[in-house]
Every structure is written in C-alpha cells, then in structure tokens.
C-alpha cells in the first residue's frame, strides 16, 4: 500500500510539473508573438515613413527650366535636376504644375512640400521660405520684338512694358519704371508676356536671361537689346522651418551630381556653352 501511495504521489508531482512547464511555454509563446507583432507594426511604420512622396510645385512655362514637350511631359533643367537629386538621395516626389505665382502661394499655405521653378533667392522670400544652396546664377535682360528699333531703357519713356507676376524681371522693371517713365503690364506666364510684345501691345519685356535666350533660340520673334543685369541665384524652396530633411537631401544630392558631372550635362542639354 505504501508503495502504491508513493507511486501515486510521484505521478501527481510529474503531472503538476508538466502542467507548470506547459503554462510557462505558453506564456513565452504569447510573449514572443506579441513581440513579433510589435516588431511588424514598427516595421510597417518605418516603411510608411520611408515611403513619403513629396509634392513639389512648379511653373507651367519657364523654358528651359520647366516646360512641356510635344507629348505633354514636364521637362527642363529644374525637372532634370530634381530627378537626378531624388535618384541620388532615394526619395520620391510628384510634380504639381501650378504656375509660378500659384506655386509660391501653395507653398506658403503648406499645400505643397517644396517649389522648384527658377525661383530667385531673395531676402523678402527668405522671411517665408527656407532655400537650398543656389543651383543656378541668373540675371535679368530686356527683350523687344524682332523688328523693334528700341535698344535702351531711355526709349521706354511713355511706353508699356510686359512683366511676369512675382518674378525677378518684374521686380527689376518696377525698380526702374519711375526713372525711365514706362508703365508695367503684368502677366501670369511667360508665353502670354512674349505674345503681347510680339503683338505690339507692349514694347518690351523683362525676363531672366537664360529663359528669354532659350525662347529666342527656339524661334521666338524677339531679340535682346541690353546687357544682362546682375540677378539673384535660383534655389529650391520649402516652407520656413519645415521639411528640413527634404532640404538637406536636395543640398546633398546637388553636391553629388555636381561632383559627378551630371549637373553640367543637364545644363548643356538646354543651354549652349558660352
């Protein structure tokens, strides 16, 4: 009987230990599963963060920096530079073609993450936006109809001249309007401004020299008649104190494509070497 009782007690102890072991294993499995779920969720969040697609506003017609080809694709120096920089830095973006003034307003309202549109870096704009390192040094020049006899600012007295809203060309024209006695007529895009001059409604326009030069080389019936005025540099802009990571990536990518020679290749595609 004693032997029997001892055997029973021993069996009970074995079952109890087995039950405890099973409970411990189950608890460990649940904990491991929870950890795995948490890791998956963290990974998903990280993937989502890394998958950010930046919305970049730009102009409609500002060749050779941004314009449409025959198939309706947005091309130009700015478009190629942005594509090269994004590939170098590994970020994704979508282009939102708005027109220059609308793109600047959209950035100010946080409706886009950045703007690249031949945008001059000015002290006034620095109050609202943070800019990248300069990626192009520009300047303003005056254009007139191909058959015009106007060749100087003095001959603009009493006349109307065309400018594009929100541009450095417009700011320069405004700065000399009183001195030379002309009236400014404002347009939303470069093509409308050019057409107005060619139609004779205005006698001249003020535009960034590479833009006007490219248009003339493409057959536009205008000509330049003044020396280039010293202008500001172009920069990529984000809303002030926001999207610092995007700005850092743009600067780093710009430095890399300059070092590799890709930057010069892009410029050479659209602007002939002087």
């Amino acid at each position: 009987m004693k032997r029997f009782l001892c055997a029973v007690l021993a069996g009970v102890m074995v079952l109890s230990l087995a039950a405890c072991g099973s409970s411990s294993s189950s608890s460990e499995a649940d904990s491991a599963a929870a950890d795995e779920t948490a890791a998956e969720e963290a990974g998903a969040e990280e993937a989502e963060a890394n998958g950010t697609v930046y919305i970049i506003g730009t102009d409609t017609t500002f060749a050779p920096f941004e314009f449409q080809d025959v198939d309706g694709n947005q091309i130009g120096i700015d478009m190629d530079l942005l594509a090269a920089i994004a590939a170098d830095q590994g970020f994704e973006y979508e282009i939102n073609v708005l027109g220059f003034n609308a793109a600047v307003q959209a950035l100010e309202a946080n409706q886009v993450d950045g703007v690249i549109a031949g945008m001059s870096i000015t002290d006034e704009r620095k109050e609202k936006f943070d800019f990248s390192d300069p990626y192009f040094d520009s300047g303003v020049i005056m254009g007139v109809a191909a058959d015009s006899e106007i060749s100087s600012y003095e001959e603009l007295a009493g006349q109307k001249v065309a400018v594009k809203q929100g541009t450095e060309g417009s700011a320069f024209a405004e700065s000399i309007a009183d001195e030379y006695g002309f009236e400014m007529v404002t347009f939303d895009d470069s093509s409308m401004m050019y057409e107005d001059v060619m139609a004779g409604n205005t006698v001249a326009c003020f535009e960034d020299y590479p833009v006007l030069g490219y248009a003339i080389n493409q057959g536009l019936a205008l000509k330049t008649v003044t020396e280039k005025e010293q202008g500001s540099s172009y920069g990529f802009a984000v809303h002030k104190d926001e999207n610092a990571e995007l700005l850092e990536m743009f600067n780093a990518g710009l430095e890399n494509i300059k070092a590799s020679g890709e930057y010069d290749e892009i410029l050479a595609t659209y602007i002939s070497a002087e």
Side-chain angles (χ1 to χ4, degrees), residues 189-228:
D189 62 62
S190 295
S191 60
M192 292 175 63
M193 176 177 68
Y194 299 153
E195 289 170 6
D196 199 71
V197 176
M198 291 186 292
N201 298 322
T202 48
V203 299
C205 63
F206 288 90
E207 179 69 286
D208 288 20
Y209 85 89
V211 177
L212 184 54
Y214 179 84
I216 292 172
N217 287 339
Q218 296 299 306
L220 188 72
L222 295 179
K223 63 183 178 181
T224 57
V225 293
T226 61
E227 294 296 324
K228 179 186 73 172

mmCIF file of all heavy atoms in Angstrom, residues 189-228:
data_model
loop_
_atom_site.group_PDB
_atom_site.id
_atom_site.type_symbol
_atom_site.label_atom_id
_atom_site.label_comp_id
_atom_site.label_asym_id
_atom_site.label_seq_id
_atom_site.Cartn_x
_atom_site.Cartn_y
_atom_site.Cartn_z
ATOM 1 N N ASP A 189 2.060 84.173 -67.075
ATOM 2 C CA ASP A 189 3.088 83.268 -67.574
ATOM 3 C C ASP A 189 3.897 83.917 -68.686
ATOM 4 O O ASP A 189 3.495 84.924 -69.276
ATOM 5 C CB ASP A 189 2.494 81.927 -68.037
ATOM 6 C CG ASP A 189 1.517 82.073 -69.193
ATOM 7 O OD1 ASP A 189 1.950 82.542 -70.274
ATOM 8 O OD2 ASP A 189 0.348 81.709 -69.035
ATOM 9 N N SER A 190 5.050 83.335 -68.957
ATOM 10 C CA SER A 190 5.991 83.922 -69.908
ATOM 11 C C SER A 190 5.448 83.955 -71.330
ATOM 12 O O SER A 190 5.659 84.920 -72.062
ATOM 13 C CB SER A 190 7.307 83.133 -69.882
ATOM 14 O OG SER A 190 7.940 83.250 -68.632
ATOM 15 N N SER A 191 4.745 82.899 -71.749
ATOM 16 C CA SER A 191 4.262 82.834 -73.133
ATOM 17 C C SER A 191 3.287 83.969 -73.436
ATOM 18 O O SER A 191 3.343 84.572 -74.521
ATOM 19 C CB SER A 191 3.611 81.473 -73.411
ATOM 20 O OG SER A 191 2.507 81.253 -72.546
ATOM 21 N N MET A 192 2.407 84.274 -72.507
ATOM 22 C CA MET A 192 1.462 85.379 -72.703
ATOM 23 C C MET A 192 2.197 86.715 -72.763
ATOM 24 O O MET A 192 1.844 87.602 -73.546
ATOM 25 C CB MET A 192 0.428 85.390 -71.571
ATOM 26 C CG MET A 192 -0.520 84.211 -71.574
ATOM 27 S SD MET A 192 -1.626 84.216 -70.136
ATOM 28 C CE MET A 192 -2.536 85.723 -70.401
ATOM 29 N N MET A 193 3.234 86.852 -71.951
ATOM 30 C CA MET A 193 4.033 88.073 -71.943
ATOM 31 C C MET A 193 4.736 88.255 -73.290
ATOM 32 O O MET A 193 4.708 89.345 -73.878
ATOM 33 C CB MET A 193 5.066 87.989 -70.813
ATOM 34 C CG MET A 193 6.034 89.159 -70.744
ATOM 35 S SD MET A 193 7.160 89.033 -69.325
ATOM 36 C CE MET A 193 8.150 87.606 -69.803
ATOM 37 N N TYR A 194 5.342 87.189 -73.807
ATOM 38 C CA TYR A 194 6.021 87.267 -75.098
ATOM 39 C C TYR A 194 5.045 87.631 -76.223
ATOM 40 O O TYR A 194 5.347 88.460 -77.088
ATOM 41 C CB TYR A 194 6.687 85.931 -75.435
ATOM 42 C CG TYR A 194 7.739 85.469 -74.460
ATOM 43 C CD1 TYR A 194 8.008 84.108 -74.297
ATOM 44 C CD2 TYR A 194 8.483 86.367 -73.705
ATOM 45 C CE1 TYR A 194 8.981 83.657 -73.413
ATOM 46 C CE2 TYR A 194 9.449 85.929 -72.808
ATOM 47 C CZ TYR A 194 9.684 84.576 -72.673
ATOM 48 O OH TYR A 194 10.640 84.138 -71.789
ATOM 49 N N GLU A 195 3.900 86.980 -76.210
ATOM 50 C CA GLU A 195 2.909 87.216 -77.261
ATOM 51 C C GLU A 195 2.434 88.665 -77.269
ATOM 52 O O GLU A 195 2.187 89.247 -78.334
ATOM 53 C CB GLU A 195 1.709 86.273 -77.071
ATOM 54 C CG GLU A 195 2.018 84.819 -77.393
ATOM 55 C CD GLU A 195 0.900 83.887 -76.978
ATOM 56 O OE1 GLU A 195 -0.160 84.400 -76.547
ATOM 57 O OE2 GLU A 195 1.090 82.661 -77.075
ATOM 58 N N ASP A 196 2.332 89.250 -76.091
ATOM 59 C CA ASP A 196 1.881 90.633 -76.010
ATOM 60 C C ASP A 196 2.898 91.578 -76.643
ATOM 61 O O ASP A 196 2.527 92.534 -77.328
ATOM 62 C CB ASP A 196 1.643 91.034 -74.553
ATOM 63 C CG ASP A 196 0.757 92.257 -74.424
ATOM 64 O OD1 ASP A 196 -0.445 92.137 -74.698
ATOM 65 O OD2 ASP A 196 1.288 93.327 -74.056
ATOM 66 N N VAL A 197 4.181 91.300 -76.430
ATOM 67 C CA VAL A 197 5.233 92.126 -77.031
ATOM 68 C C VAL A 197 5.241 91.939 -78.549
ATOM 69 O O VAL A 197 5.323 92.917 -79.306
ATOM 70 C CB VAL A 197 6.611 91.775 -76.441
ATOM 71 C CG1 VAL A 197 7.710 92.578 -77.144
ATOM 72 C CG2 VAL A 197 6.631 92.062 -74.944
ATOM 73 N N MET A 198 5.134 90.710 -79.004
ATOM 74 C CA MET A 198 5.145 90.449 -80.442
ATOM 75 C C MET A 198 3.933 91.044 -81.140
ATOM 76 O O MET A 198 3.997 91.428 -82.311
ATOM 77 C CB MET A 198 5.222 88.939 -80.703
ATOM 78 C CG MET A 198 6.563 88.336 -80.325
ATOM 79 S SD MET A 198 6.736 86.582 -80.786
ATOM 80 C CE MET A 198 5.553 85.808 -79.673
ATOM 81 N N ALA A 199 2.822 91.155 -80.397
ATOM 82 C CA ALA A 199 1.602 91.741 -80.960
ATOM 83 C C ALA A 199 1.661 93.260 -80.984
ATOM 84 O O ALA A 199 0.809 93.913 -81.602
ATOM 85 C CB ALA A 199 0.386 91.275 -80.174
ATOM 86 N N GLY A 200 2.639 93.825 -80.288
ATOM 87 C CA GLY A 200 2.795 95.274 -80.279
ATOM 88 C C GLY A 200 1.996 95.992 -79.212
ATOM 89 O O GLY A 200 1.975 97.228 -79.171
ATOM 90 N N ASN A 201 1.346 95.249 -78.331
ATOM 91 C CA ASN A 201 0.579 95.887 -77.252
ATOM 92 C C ASN A 201 1.525 96.471 -76.197
ATOM 93 O O ASN A 201 1.205 97.470 -75.551
ATOM 94 C CB ASN A 201 -0.350 94.870 -76.598
ATOM 95 C CG ASN A 201 -1.368 94.315 -77.574
ATOM 96 O OD1 ASN A 201 -1.875 95.048 -78.427
ATOM 97 N ND2 ASN A 201 -1.659 93.031 -77.474
ATOM 98 N N THR A 202 2.660 95.823 -76.008
ATOM 99 C CA THR A 202 3.724 96.341 -75.154
ATOM 100 C C THR A 202 4.997 96.353 -75.994
ATOM 101 O O THR A 202 5.126 95.584 -76.958
ATOM 102 C CB THR A 202 3.926 95.464 -73.899
ATOM 103 O OG1 THR A 202 4.003 94.082 -74.293
ATOM 104 C CG2 THR A 202 2.781 95.640 -72.925
ATOM 105 N N VAL A 203 5.964 97.219 -75.631
ATOM 106 C CA VAL A 203 7.134 97.385 -76.497
ATOM 107 C C VAL A 203 8.338 96.582 -76.034
ATOM 108 O O VAL A 203 9.320 96.461 -76.780
ATOM 109 C CB VAL A 203 7.521 98.880 -76.597
ATOM 110 C CG1 VAL A 203 6.389 99.691 -77.205
ATOM 111 C CG2 VAL A 203 7.934 99.436 -75.231
ATOM 112 N N ALA A 204 8.279 96.038 -74.834
ATOM 113 C CA ALA A 204 9.422 95.287 -74.310
ATOM 114 C C ALA A 204 8.973 94.398 -73.158
ATOM 115 O O ALA A 204 7.856 94.560 -72.635
ATOM 116 C CB ALA A 204 10.518 96.243 -73.837
ATOM 117 N N CYS A 205 9.834 93.476 -72.795
ATOM 118 C CA CYS A 205 9.580 92.637 -71.616
ATOM 119 C C CYS A 205 10.890 92.448 -70.860
ATOM 120 O O CYS A 205 11.985 92.616 -71.419
ATOM 121 C CB CYS A 205 8.995 91.281 -72.011
ATOM 122 S SG CYS A 205 10.083 90.258 -73.030
ATOM 123 N N PHE A 206 10.774 92.132 -69.597
ATOM 124 C CA PHE A 206 11.947 91.857 -68.766
ATOM 125 C C PHE A 206 11.852 90.423 -68.279
ATOM 126 O O PHE A 206 10.847 90.022 -67.684
ATOM 127 C CB PHE A 206 12.018 92.827 -67.588
ATOM 128 C CG PHE A 206 12.395 94.228 -67.992
ATOM 129 C CD1 PHE A 206 11.426 95.159 -68.337
ATOM 130 C CD2 PHE A 206 13.732 94.605 -68.054
ATOM 131 C CE1 PHE A 206 11.766 96.446 -68.720
ATOM 132 C CE2 PHE A 206 14.087 95.893 -68.432
ATOM 133 C CZ PHE A 206 13.110 96.816 -68.765
ATOM 134 N N GLU A 207 12.903 89.658 -68.538
ATOM 135 C CA GLU A 207 12.872 88.222 -68.267
ATOM 136 C C GLU A 207 14.260 87.739 -67.859
ATOM 137 O O GLU A 207 15.278 88.368 -68.177
ATOM 138 C CB GLU A 207 12.416 87.487 -69.539
ATOM 139 C CG GLU A 207 12.339 85.982 -69.440
ATOM 140 C CD GLU A 207 11.226 85.499 -68.539
ATOM 141 O OE1 GLU A 207 11.392 85.622 -67.298
ATOM 142 O OE2 GLU A 207 10.201 84.984 -69.052
ATOM 143 N N ASP A 208 14.326 86.614 -67.163
ATOM 144 C CA ASP A 208 15.613 86.005 -66.836
ATOM 145 C C ASP A 208 16.325 85.634 -68.132
ATOM 146 O O ASP A 208 15.724 85.031 -69.033
ATOM 147 C CB ASP A 208 15.412 84.767 -65.975
ATOM 148 C CG ASP A 208 14.980 85.112 -64.557
ATOM 149 O OD1 ASP A 208 14.479 86.234 -64.361
ATOM 150 O OD2 ASP A 208 15.128 84.273 -63.660
ATOM 151 N N TYR A 209 17.613 85.954 -68.223
ATOM 152 C CA TYR A 209 18.319 85.836 -69.500
ATOM 153 C C TYR A 209 18.340 84.422 -70.079
ATOM 154 O O TYR A 209 18.182 84.252 -71.303
ATOM 155 C CB TYR A 209 19.749 86.391 -69.372
ATOM 156 C CG TYR A 209 20.771 85.423 -68.849
ATOM 157 C CD1 TYR A 209 21.483 84.594 -69.698
ATOM 158 C CD2 TYR A 209 21.020 85.326 -67.483
ATOM 159 C CE1 TYR A 209 22.412 83.695 -69.217
ATOM 160 C CE2 TYR A 209 21.962 84.439 -66.996
ATOM 161 C CZ TYR A 209 22.652 83.613 -67.858
ATOM 162 O OH TYR A 209 23.563 82.729 -67.372
ATOM 163 N N PRO A 210 18.517 83.343 -69.293
ATOM 164 C CA PRO A 210 18.535 82.022 -69.931
ATOM 165 C C PRO A 210 17.169 81.624 -70.483
ATOM 166 O O PRO A 210 17.077 80.890 -71.463
ATOM 167 C CB PRO A 210 18.972 81.086 -68.805
ATOM 168 C CG PRO A 210 18.585 81.790 -67.560
ATOM 169 C CD PRO A 210 18.750 83.241 -67.839
ATOM 170 N N VAL A 211 16.115 82.138 -69.860
ATOM 171 C CA VAL A 211 14.756 81.815 -70.291
ATOM 172 C C VAL A 211 14.439 82.507 -71.615
ATOM 173 O O VAL A 211 13.979 81.878 -72.576
ATOM 174 C CB VAL A 211 13.737 82.224 -69.208
ATOM 175 C CG1 VAL A 211 12.319 81.951 -69.671
ATOM 176 C CG2 VAL A 211 14.035 81.496 -67.909
ATOM 177 N N LEU A 212 14.698 83.817 -71.670
ATOM 178 C CA LEU A 212 14.439 84.563 -72.898
ATOM 179 C C LEU A 212 15.379 84.098 -74.013
ATOM 180 O O LEU A 212 14.963 83.942 -75.167
ATOM 181 C CB LEU A 212 14.607 86.056 -72.652
ATOM 182 C CG LEU A 212 14.266 86.980 -73.834
ATOM 183 C CD1 LEU A 212 12.873 86.714 -74.367
ATOM 184 C CD2 LEU A 212 14.417 88.442 -73.418
ATOM 185 N N GLY A 213 16.635 83.852 -73.665
ATOM 186 C CA GLY A 213 17.591 83.381 -74.669
ATOM 187 C C GLY A 213 17.180 82.055 -75.270
ATOM 188 O O GLY A 213 17.285 81.853 -76.488
ATOM 189 N N TYR A 214 16.698 81.133 -74.443
ATOM 190 C CA TYR A 214 16.248 79.831 -74.936
ATOM 191 C C TYR A 214 15.049 79.996 -75.865
ATOM 192 O O TYR A 214 14.990 79.378 -76.940
ATOM 193 C CB TYR A 214 15.885 78.917 -73.767
ATOM 194 C CG TYR A 214 15.388 77.557 -74.197
ATOM 195 C CD1 TYR A 214 16.284 76.539 -74.497
ATOM 196 C CD2 TYR A 214 14.024 77.299 -74.315
ATOM 197 C CE1 TYR A 214 15.838 75.285 -74.903
ATOM 198 C CE2 TYR A 214 13.564 76.052 -74.723
ATOM 199 C CZ TYR A 214 14.477 75.055 -75.017
ATOM 200 O OH TYR A 214 14.028 73.818 -75.436
ATOM 201 N N ALA A 215 14.099 80.844 -75.477
ATOM 202 C CA ALA A 215 12.905 81.056 -76.297
ATOM 203 C C ALA A 215 13.271 81.624 -77.666
ATOM 204 O O ALA A 215 12.723 81.208 -78.702
ATOM 205 C CB ALA A 215 11.940 81.991 -75.574
ATOM 206 N N ILE A 216 14.195 82.569 -77.690
ATOM 207 C CA ILE A 216 14.636 83.165 -78.962
ATOM 208 C C ILE A 216 15.343 82.123 -79.825
ATOM 209 O O ILE A 216 15.128 82.042 -81.046
ATOM 210 C CB ILE A 216 15.542 84.382 -78.700
ATOM 211 C CG1 ILE A 216 14.724 85.515 -78.068
ATOM 212 C CG2 ILE A 216 16.201 84.861 -79.992
ATOM 213 C CD1 ILE A 216 15.537 86.693 -77.586
ATOM 214 N N ASN A 217 16.173 81.290 -79.206
ATOM 215 C CA ASN A 217 16.866 80.232 -79.942
ATOM 216 C C ASN A 217 15.899 79.212 -80.528
ATOM 217 O O ASN A 217 16.205 78.552 -81.530
ATOM 218 C CB ASN A 217 17.869 79.516 -79.039
ATOM 219 C CG ASN A 217 19.084 80.364 -78.751
ATOM 220 O OD1 ASN A 217 19.392 81.300 -79.476
ATOM 221 N ND2 ASN A 217 19.776 80.046 -77.657
ATOM 222 N N GLN A 218 14.731 79.107 -79.902
ATOM 223 C CA GLN A 218 13.703 78.181 -80.400
ATOM 224 C C GLN A 218 12.805 78.812 -81.458
ATOM 225 O O GLN A 218 11.856 78.190 -81.925
ATOM 226 C CB GLN A 218 12.854 77.675 -79.226
ATOM 227 C CG GLN A 218 13.624 76.855 -78.201
ATOM 228 C CD GLN A 218 14.239 75.613 -78.793
ATOM 229 O OE1 GLN A 218 13.554 74.811 -79.413
ATOM 230 N NE2 GLN A 218 15.537 75.437 -78.604
ATOM 231 N N GLY A 219 13.096 80.055 -81.858
ATOM 232 C CA GLY A 219 12.350 80.677 -82.943
ATOM 233 C C GLY A 219 11.401 81.781 -82.538
ATOM 234 O O GLY A 219 10.670 82.315 -83.384
ATOM 235 N N LEU A 220 11.378 82.162 -81.257
ATOM 236 C CA LEU A 220 10.505 83.244 -80.821
ATOM 237 C C LEU A 220 10.940 84.553 -81.484
ATOM 238 O O LEU A 220 12.129 84.870 -81.528
ATOM 239 C CB LEU A 220 10.584 83.384 -79.303
ATOM 240 C CG LEU A 220 9.583 84.346 -78.649
ATOM 241 C CD1 LEU A 220 8.191 83.747 -78.672
ATOM 242 C CD2 LEU A 220 10.001 84.644 -77.218
ATOM 243 N N ALA A 221 9.966 85.316 -81.987
ATOM 244 C CA ALA A 221 10.268 86.546 -82.742
ATOM 245 C C ALA A 221 10.560 87.729 -81.825
ATOM 246 O O ALA A 221 9.926 88.786 -81.900
ATOM 247 C CB ALA A 221 9.115 86.869 -83.684
ATOM 248 N N LEU A 222 11.535 87.545 -80.933
ATOM 249 C CA LEU A 222 12.016 88.607 -80.060
ATOM 250 C C LEU A 222 13.533 88.681 -80.174
ATOM 251 O O LEU A 222 14.169 87.785 -80.726
ATOM 252 C CB LEU A 222 11.611 88.341 -78.594
ATOM 253 C CG LEU A 222 10.132 88.353 -78.227
ATOM 254 C CD1 LEU A 222 9.973 88.038 -76.742
ATOM 255 C CD2 LEU A 222 9.477 89.664 -78.559
ATOM 256 N N LYS A 223 14.110 89.721 -79.620
ATOM 257 C CA LYS A 223 15.559 89.847 -79.553
ATOM 258 C C LYS A 223 15.932 90.554 -78.259
ATOM 259 O O LYS A 223 15.122 91.289 -77.681
ATOM 260 C CB LYS A 223 16.102 90.627 -80.758
ATOM 261 C CG LYS A 223 15.605 92.066 -80.844
ATOM 262 C CD LYS A 223 16.131 92.754 -82.097
ATOM 263 C CE LYS A 223 15.590 94.203 -82.204
ATOM 264 N NZ LYS A 223 16.063 94.877 -83.428
ATOM 265 N N THR A 224 17.136 90.322 -77.794
ATOM 266 C CA THR A 224 17.611 91.010 -76.589
ATOM 267 C C THR A 224 18.444 92.210 -77.017
ATOM 268 O O THR A 224 19.192 92.139 -78.001
ATOM 269 C CB THR A 224 18.459 90.070 -75.715
ATOM 270 O OG1 THR A 224 19.557 89.568 -76.475
ATOM 271 C CG2 THR A 224 17.619 88.906 -75.214
ATOM 272 N N VAL A 225 18.305 93.307 -76.262
ATOM 273 C CA VAL A 225 18.963 94.553 -76.679
ATOM 274 C C VAL A 225 19.738 95.228 -75.548
ATOM 275 O O VAL A 225 20.260 96.320 -75.732
ATOM 276 C CB VAL A 225 17.929 95.550 -77.253
ATOM 277 C CG1 VAL A 225 17.359 95.020 -78.563
ATOM 278 C CG2 VAL A 225 16.805 95.815 -76.256
ATOM 279 N N THR A 226 19.825 94.604 -74.410
ATOM 280 C CA THR A 226 20.572 95.182 -73.286
ATOM 281 C C THR A 226 21.512 94.139 -72.724
ATOM 282 O O THR A 226 21.377 92.937 -72.985
ATOM 283 C CB THR A 226 19.627 95.649 -72.162
ATOM 284 O OG1 THR A 226 18.884 94.513 -71.675
ATOM 285 C CG2 THR A 226 18.652 96.713 -72.656
ATOM 286 N N GLU A 227 22.462 94.592 -71.944
ATOM 287 C CA GLU A 227 23.331 93.673 -71.220
ATOM 288 C C GLU A 227 22.562 93.047 -70.061
ATOM 289 O O GLU A 227 21.610 93.638 -69.543
ATOM 290 C CB GLU A 227 24.555 94.418 -70.679
ATOM 291 C CG GLU A 227 25.493 94.952 -71.751
ATOM 292 C CD GLU A 227 26.140 93.855 -72.567
ATOM 293 O OE1 GLU A 227 26.455 92.790 -71.969
ATOM 294 O OE2 GLU A 227 26.318 94.037 -73.789
ATOM 295 N N LYS A 228 22.989 91.866 -69.654
ATOM 296 C CA LYS A 228 22.337 91.185 -68.522
ATOM 297 C C LYS A 228 22.567 91.974 -67.241
ATOM 298 O O LYS A 228 23.695 92.364 -66.935
ATOM 299 C CB LYS A 228 22.903 89.777 -68.386
ATOM 300 C CG LYS A 228 22.318 88.984 -67.232
ATOM 301 C CD LYS A 228 23.027 87.660 -67.056
ATOM 302 C CE LYS A 228 24.394 87.837 -66.459
ATOM 303 N NZ LYS A 228 25.047 86.551 -66.101
#
